[in-house]
Amino acid sequence: MNRKAKITNILNENLDLYRCYVSDVSESHKGHSGYVKGEETHFEVFIISNDFENKTRLERHKMVNNFLKNEFLGSLHSITYKLMTISESKKN
């Protein structure tokens, strides 16, 4: 299973997802720190879930990072998050 699918599965198992998009953006980081040719090292993750209700931005990031901690022990270098509740998503 590739890392994108693994991340998607981990998020599905741990959050009540309304929407979830996981994008591998590793190639756009070619030549930067943490880039490893041929590996999925950099991602962008967009999640809409009411599990983020009443949580600060930092608390949301820590929550998701905790779910993905084992991925960071491998070659995963960075993830950029956009995390919001359903009501927040309807305002945008």
Side-chain angles (χ1 to χ4, degrees), residues 48-62:
I48 301 174
S49 172
N50 280 341
D51 290 340
F52 301 135
E53 196 74 47
N54 299 316
K55 291 189 174 33
T56 66
R57 182 176 171 181
L58 181 59
E59 290 170 329
R60 294 172 187 193
H61 283 239
K62 284 182 177 181

Side-chain angles (χ1 to χ4, degrees), residues 21-68:
Y21 304 101
V22 178
S23 300
D24 177 5
V25 295
S26 301
E27 283 303 309
S28 67
H29 291 268
K30 192 174 185 175
H32 299 157
S33 174
Y35 173 81
V36 179
K37 184 177 177 151
E39 292 195 32
E40 297 168 291
T41 55
H42 295 74
F43 287 87
E44 291 178 353
V45 174
F46 175 68
I47 300 172
I48 301 174
S49 172
N50 280 341
D51 290 340
F52 301 135
E53 196 74 47
N54 299 316
K55 291 189 174 33
T56 66
R57 182 176 171 181
L58 181 59
E59 290 170 329
R60 294 172 187 193
H61 283 239
K62 284 182 177 181
M63 175 193 300
V64 178
N65 278 338
N66 187 53
F67 297 143
L68 300 173

